[in-house]
């Protein structure tokens, strides 16, 4: 796992991957800004009407809306970033494989725009659903100070491990019946490492790409028998 991460780090500066990385970050930031602005206006308007009904200062509604948008942004960043990455996954995986595994890159199945979009939407939907299901437990454990972040970390570690694996595996598996080469523990470690990085400022911009590149190395090192 450690060697795969080191090789993935070196992939981030590859001239073929860098344009995809910058394009993905730009799209993620644009969507994040649009959703955040729309969410703030919607919440500020709703809370403002509630405040007027209770004869409260309208400013309280705007402050509450801002806090809710910040909280939602913290929860949704990883979901949005992964969804955008999945949309560009074919380019990302191909760039890493072309440099380090050219024979595998030549054999890869191209998913196509339609399948990429469906996978991105499905992955984002799963992530949103499981994070919402974990929210009540996280709120109960919020008094511990560390319980809530650990709940979300565990949930997203499982989700990210699966999604990052599938970005690569679906392009190479000989048939749907053949199980992927990564074990559940390996997926959990991969997903957990990326989930932690997604909570770190600045690092969260490169975390999805690092995870995708690491998944390429892990799968091709362990799964050469499917070539």
């Amino acid at each position: 796992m450690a060697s795969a991460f080191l090789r993935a780090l070196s992939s981030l500066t590859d001239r073929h991957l860098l344009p995809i990385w910058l394009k993905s970050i730009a799209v993620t930031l644009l969507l994040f800004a649009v959703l955040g602005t729309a969410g703030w206006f919607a919440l500020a308007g709703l809370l403002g009407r509630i405040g007027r009904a209770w004869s409260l200062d309208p400013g309280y509604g705007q402050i509450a809306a801002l806090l809710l948008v910040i909280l939602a942004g913290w929860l949704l960043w990883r979901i949005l970033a992964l969804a955008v990455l999945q949309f560009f996954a074919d380019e990302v995986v191909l760039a890493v494989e072309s440099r380090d595994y050219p024979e595998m890159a030549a054999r890869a199945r191209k998913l196509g725009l339609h399948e990429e979009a469906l996978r991105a939407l499905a992955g984002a939907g799963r992530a949103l659903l499981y994070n919402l299901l974990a929210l009540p437990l996280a709120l109960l454990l919020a008094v511990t100070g560390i319980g809530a972040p650990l709940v979300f970390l565990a949930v997203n570690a499982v989700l990210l491990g699966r999604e990052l694996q599938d970005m690569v595996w679906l392009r190479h598996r000989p048939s749907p019946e053949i199980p992927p080469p990564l074990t559940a523990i390996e997926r959990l470690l991969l997903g957990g490492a990326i989930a932690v990085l997604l909570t770190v400022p600045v690092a969260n911009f490169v975390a999805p790409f690092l995870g995708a590149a690491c998944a390429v190395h892990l799968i091709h090192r362990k799964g050469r028998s499917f070539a």
Side-chain angles (χ1 to χ4, degrees), residues 6-207:
L6 290 175
R7 293 199 69 179
L9 278 172
S10 68
S11 300
L12 294 179
T13 57
D14 185 84
R15 63 185 181 87
H16 295 104
L17 185 61
L18 190 59
I20 311 170
W21 175 38
L22 295 175
K23 178 172 59 176
S24 177
I25 289 175
V27 172
T28 303
L29 289 173
L30 177 60
L31 290 175
F32 194 72
V34 170
L35 291 175
T37 302
W40 184 84
F41 277 109
L43 285 171
L46 175 62
L47 295 175
R49 286 194 293 271
I50 295 175
R52 286 191 294 272
W54 290 82
S55 300
L56 299 176
D57 189 325
Y60 290 133
Q62 296 180 354
I63 294 174
L66 178 61
L67 293 175
L68 287 172
V69 166
I70 292 174
L71 176 60
W74 180 79
L75 291 172
L76 294 177
W77 169 262
R78 68 203 72 183
I79 298 173
L80 187 59
L82 186 62
V84 173
L85 175 64
Q86 286 176 319
F87 192 76
F88 295 112
D90 202 60
E91 296 179 64
V92 175
V93 173
L94 182 60
V96 178
E97 289 179 341
S98 296
R99 190 185 81 157
D100 297 314
Y101 309 96
E103 74 285 357
M104 302 305 297
R107 297 173 180 174
R109 178 178 72 92
K110 186 174 178 61
L111 298 186
L113 182 61
H114 179 68
E115 190 171 353
E116 293 279 10
L118 288 179
R119 284 203 66 250
L121 290 173
R126 275 193 300 269
L128 182 59
L129 174 62
Y130 282 101
N131 276 276
L132 288 175
L133 290 175
L135 185 58
L137 179 59
L139 291 175
L140 287 175
L141 297 176
V143 293
T144 66
I146 195 173
L150 287 178
V151 168
F152 286 117
L153 177 62
V155 169
N156 287 287
V158 174
L159 289 168
L160 285 167
R162 172 187 169 176
E163 298 297 338
L164 291 171
Q165 170 194 261
D166 288 352
M167 283 182 191
V168 184
W169 177 241
L170 293 182
R171 289 163 172 74
H172 293 281
R173 63 180 181 180
S175 68
E177 293 76 24
I178 296 180
L182 299 188
T183 65
I185 295 299
E186 288 171 327
R187 290 195 301 271
L188 185 63
L189 289 174
L190 172 62
I194 302 306
V196 169
L197 288 176
L198 281 168
T199 66
V200 179
V202 181
N204 56 3
F205 289 107
V206 301

